[in-house]
Amino acid sequence: MNKEKFNKLEIIDQIQYINKELQNNKSITSVSKELGIGRSTIRDRFKKANYIYSKELNEYVNNDDIT
């Protein structure tokens, strides 16, 4: 996937794409480099949608789901 296609996705689809890549043993850094988007851009974008990265789960999760 390229940057343009990724940016056109709905935010939930972007999160699902990133999580799928993380499940395939890729790092956030490697996925962001492949997309041509900065890690901080992904983090900030997902944070606005109330999703944060969980190290334990190795994926982005809804902040409301964390207790």
Side-chain angles (χ1 to χ4, degrees), residues 3 18 23 55:
K3 182 178 181 177
I18 295 291
Q23 290 171 357
K55 261 189 177 175

Side-chain angles (χ1 to χ4, degrees), residues 27-28 38 52 61:
S27 67
I28 298 171
I52 60 170
V61 294

Side-chain angles (χ1 to χ4, degrees), residues 5 7 15 18 21 25 27 31 33 35 48-50 55:
K5 283 184 182 179
N7 285 334
I15 292 165
I18 295 291
E21 293 297 304
N25 294 321
S27 67
V31 176
K33 282 182 182 179
L35 291 170
K48 284 181 186 175
N50 205 30
K55 261 189 177 175

Side-chain angles (χ1 to χ4, degrees), residues 12-61:
I12 192 67
D13 294 326
Q14 291 180 9
I15 292 165
Q16 289 173 346
Y17 176 81
I18 295 291
N19 282 343
K20 187 181 77 155
E21 293 297 304
L22 292 173
Q23 290 171 357
N24 289 331
N25 294 321
K26 292 186 178 180
S27 67
I28 298 171
T29 302
S30 67
V31 176
S32 64
K33 282 182 182 179
E34 287 174 14
L35 291 170
I37 298 174
R39 279 187 64 178
S40 60
T41 301
I42 292 171
R43 180 195 64 225
D44 295 345
R45 188 179 292 175
F46 291 1
K47 190 175 183 181
K48 284 181 186 175
N50 205 30
Y51 278 79
I52 60 170
Y53 179 71
S54 168
K55 261 189 177 175
E56 296 81 30
L57 300 173
N58 189 36
E59 66 180 16
Y60 281 90
V61 294

